[in-house]
Amino acid sequence: MSHSLTQVVIVGGGTAGWLTAARIAAYHKCQQANAKVQVTLIESSDVPPVGVGEGTWPTMRATLQAVGISETEFLRECDASFKQGAKFAKWTTGAEVDFYYHPLMLPQGFPKFDLTPYWQQANDDGMDISYSNAVCFQEALCEQGLAPKLITTAEFSHVANYAYHLDAGKFASLLKKHSINKLGVRHIVDHVVKVNNSVAGDIATLTTKAHGEIAGDLFVDCSGFQSLLLGQHYQVPFVDQSDVLFIDNALALHVPYQSEDEDIVSHTVSTAQSAGWIWDIGLPSRRGVGHVYSSKHTNEQNAADELYQYVQKLNPAAAKDFNYRKIPIQSGHRQRFWHNNCVAVGLAAGFLEPLEASAIVLVELSATMIAEQLPHNRSNMDIVAKRFNQTFQYRWARIIDFLKLHYVLSKRQDSQFWRDNQDLSSCPQELVDLLSLWATRAPADYDFTSNNEVFPAASYLYVLYGMGFKTDFSQSDYLHQQSQQAAHLFQRNQQMIKQSCQQLPKNRELLNKIAQYGLNKI
């Protein structure tokens, strides 16, 4: 048996580096004197983090619990707020009244009972209610700016399922402080100048400017877009996905509120533009706003003009100091993510676009699998690496499918960007096949059979029918034979809307109370 794996070395800080460090260190009790695993994180003071990943998934609640950070501390220190889903405006037709929601809760009765055929029939008969509003009470909460819980609700518990919006820089700082002070992570501020292989081809050591050589058994590449270890050193190819996802640039800035008591939206707002879309994320102290676009379909000046117009509507005073940061995006991922004794996490592994906040959840999933499947010795590492690669190749492919779904379903004809996106030749074959199936039946859990699924069938339901997709249920009349049960579930949802809207506080009101009093511990 080869030597035991005891030294994990992470290159790069930011959200990816420090979250991975925290997850591994917490799982392996690295703070204990007799710990068998030690985690060392090397970050350069010369490389600033990208710092625009501000949206998370509900999985973040479990991640914070796993590493031992309280929800009160997180909300206070990361300028964080609650996120209950995403609102997509002008994606389908481009009209001012065009919007739909992807909430974070399952439709009523799903998956045991599918309301979709009953909703579609009712709408065909003139009911005129959006899919998410008919089957889920969360859209109503978002539209009224309400929080997903009460001040008396325990930490990480909920009335409505939720994730977070956060300040990425402050989140990385919290993870850093917690990892060093509470979890036993060794921190080195230095610049890696050389990667040194062993005779067998593994990375043996990293040469740093001030600390000499740092040895390790497993090296985690969290070096961002430069992918210092996996990309540059091992030359693992990059799989370009720009033929599927056309976005290749982002213009980002912070927008202050017009007043201290202005509502904080409890969802991400994604507003379609002529050749891309604008994100709008509400934090307690400001909004994070940015425009992602395709340079093949527009230029920076036009994209900046659309962003300026958006900011001017939010806060005319802020528009006078319009100063954005441009971030290039190369849509794609590495051909494999674990090679020899090196595994990439975060931007070093790849990036697609900010739509649906997949970046941070991929970091969470990667860090969790590394922590829980960490091989005890080198001879087992290749087995774990193979499994890791298979898992994340599948996950990246399914995320690409889901992101493309938002574009291919659009009916906009006002620009080449939207027309090109509707061309099925730009879609992965897996998505084309699913759309063919869903022409005659609704998405179901049977369409997603892997335990490594990222987006469940319910997410596809919300996007498909939110964007006006029509399923022909005429050959499945039996699906309408439980109309009494369907009516009960529709009525139940409306009752939950009424009850929760009366019960829950405004998002800002709850966040102010948490800042002052804190939440109850679990």
Side-chain angles (χ1 to χ4, degrees):
M1 182 180 289
S2 60
H3 72 276
S4 298
L5 191 155
T6 60
Q7 298 293 328
V8 177
V9 178
I10 300 171
V11 178
T15 300
W18 285 110
L19 196 150
T20 303
R23 203 69 175 83
I24 297 172
Y27 188 85
H28 292 276
K29 314 296 183 192
C30 295
Q31 77 278 15
Q32 296 180 359
N34 61 346
K36 292 182 170 59
V37 174
Q38 183 180 47
V39 178
T40 300
L41 187 145
I42 308 169
E43 64 176 338
S44 172
S45 57
D46 302 333
V47 182
V50 176
V52 295
E54 297 184 328
T56 69
W57 285 18
T59 51
M60 183 56 72
R61 284 150 56 198
T63 296
L64 292 173
Q65 288 177 277
V67 302
I69 295 176
S70 77
E71 189 169 36
T72 298
E73 180 184 19
F74 165 75
L75 290 167
R76 286 172 173 170
E77 295 206 18
C78 299
D79 195 22
S81 59
F82 298 111
K83 170 189 171 183
Q84 298 187 69
K87 179 179 183 177
F88 295 91
K90 302 183 179 181
W91 280 74
T92 307
T93 66
E96 289 296 325
V97 295
D98 166 27
F99 74 87
Y100 73 94
Y101 273 89
H102 176 195
L104 297 181
M105 300 191 73
L106 293 175
Q108 292 286 342
F110 193 81
K112 291 182 178 180
F113 192 95
D114 185 8
L115 283 169
T116 304
Y118 300 94
W119 167 81
Q120 184 168 294
Q121 183 179 57
N123 262 21
D124 289 343
D125 293 341
M127 182 175 69
D128 192 26
I129 183 172
S130 72
Y131 182 76
S132 62
N133 210 23
V135 304
C136 177
F137 70 90
Q138 201 157 35
E139 175 178 325
L141 304 186
C142 292
E143 283 291 285
Q144 295 189 35
L146 301 178
K149 62 195 295 181
L150 302 160
I151 189 63
T152 53
T153 310
E155 287 198 337
F156 303 114
S157 297
H158 65 277
V159 174
N161 194 28
Y162 66 89
Y164 306 103
H165 290 141
L166 53 83
D167 182 304
K170 291 181 178 179
F171 184 43
S173 295
L174 173 62
L175 289 168
K176 175 180 177 178
K177 178 179 70 175
H178 185 78
S179 296
I180 296 170
N181 296 338
K182 301 289 181 65
L183 301 177
V185 174
R186 178 189 177 203
H187 181 215
I188 296 176
V189 179
D190 208 341
H191 191 72
V192 175
V193 294
K194 187 180 178 185
V195 182
N196 309 298
N197 276 6
S198 67
V199 175
D202 281 355
I203 298 174
T205 64
L206 302 175
T207 304
T208 60
K209 276 186 178 179
H211 292 78
E213 292 195 358
I214 308 295
D217 302 307
L218 175 66
F219 291 83
V220 186
D221 189 350
C222 296
S223 62
F225 287 126
Q226 66 174 323
S227 194
L228 183 65
L229 305 183
L230 193 71
Q232 291 188 33
H233 177 68
Y234 276 125
Q235 295 290 299
V236 172
F238 184 84
V239 181
D240 192 335
Q241 295 290 341
S242 60
D243 59 332
V244 178
L245 300 171
F246 305 150
I247 297 298
D248 60 4
N249 278 287
L251 310 178
L253 73 162
H254 295 163
V255 179
Y257 289 108
Q258 295 192 65
S259 64
E260 291 184 355
D261 59 352
E262 186 175 337
D263 280 352
I264 302 171
V265 292
S266 59
H267 53 277
T268 302
V269 182
S270 302
T271 305
Q273 304 297 313
S274 63
W277 55 277
I278 288 175
W279 79 75
D280 185 349
I281 287 177
L283 303 184
S285 67
R286 48 99 178 158
R287 302 170 94 120
V289 179
H291 186 183
V292 290
Y293 64 93
S294 165
S295 63
K296 294 179 182 178
H297 297 89
T298 191
N299 56 45
E300 182 180 341
Q301 185 58 57
N302 289 337
D305 289 344
E306 289 183 338
L307 180 59
Y308 177 82
Q309 291 168 13
Y310 187 93
V311 171
Q312 194 171 41
K313 290 179 181 179
L314 289 181
N315 187 343
K320 295 177 182 178
D321 186 27
F322 183 70
N323 187 21
Y324 61 80
R325 181 160 59 107
K326 184 178 181 181
I327 305 166
I329 296 172
Q330 187 177 10
S331 184
H333 55 81
R334 295 291 158 185
Q335 190 179 77
R336 56 191 177 278
F337 310 100
W338 195 320
H339 181 78
N340 286 21
N341 66 334
C342 171
V343 55
V345 176
L347 299 178
F351 185 73
L352 299 172
E353 59 166 276
L355 192 69
E356 294 286 5
S358 60
I360 292 182
V361 77
L362 279 168
V363 172
E364 290 183 81
L365 293 170
S366 299
T368 299
M369 187 168 181
I370 294 168
E372 295 181 2
Q373 297 290 309
L374 192 71
H376 292 291
N377 52 65
R378 181 60 184 88
S379 62
N380 285 337
M381 187 179 292
D382 292 338
I383 300 171
V384 175
K386 180 182 179 181
R387 183 183 299 165
F388 187 93
N389 286 329
Q390 290 172 339
T391 297
F392 282 90
Q393 284 161 357
Y394 182 86
R395 283 173 167 165
W396 280 86
R398 297 293 74 75
I399 290 173
I400 292 166
D401 287 347
F402 188 64
L403 299 189
K404 186 64 175 181
L405 181 72
H406 296 65
Y407 293 101
V408 73
L409 293 177
S410 178
K411 299 176 179 64
R412 291 183 60 151
Q413 294 294 315
D414 54 302
S415 73
Q416 195 62 44
F417 174 80
W418 293 104
R419 291 192 293 272
D420 288 348
N421 265 300
Q422 293 162 45
D423 185 346
L424 288 180
S425 67
S426 70
C427 288
Q429 188 59 47
E430 180 77 12
L431 178 58
V432 174
D433 292 344
L434 287 171
L435 288 171
S436 179
L437 287 174
W438 297 335
T440 55
R441 65 167 175 81
D445 283 345
Y446 291 113
D447 295 323
F448 309 97
T449 56
S450 171
N451 62 356
N452 293 312
E453 298 296 344
V454 185
F455 292 99
S459 292
Y460 284 84
L461 287 169
Y462 285 124
V463 176
L464 275 174
Y465 300 110
M467 296 192 73
F469 186 84
K470 285 281 188 178
T471 298
D472 181 4
F473 292 109
S474 62
Q475 301 302 311
S476 309
D477 290 342
Y478 56 87
L479 291 176
H480 297 95
Q481 292 176 3
Q482 293 179 277
S483 55
Q484 189 171 355
Q485 173 70 0
H488 169 72
L489 290 171
F490 284 133
Q491 184 179 17
R492 178 186 174 193
N493 191 61
Q494 293 307 307
Q495 290 172 342
M496 293 181 74
I497 288 175
K498 183 178 180 180
Q499 179 182 347
S500 58
C501 286
Q502 291 174 344
Q503 176 189 27
L504 292 167
K506 287 281 192 178
N507 206 20
R508 183 176 288 282
E509 178 189 345
L510 177 57
L511 290 167
N512 286 344
K513 285 184 178 179
I514 293 170
Q516 184 174 2
Y517 304 111
L519 285 163
N520 293 324
K521 302 294 183 183
I522 296 175

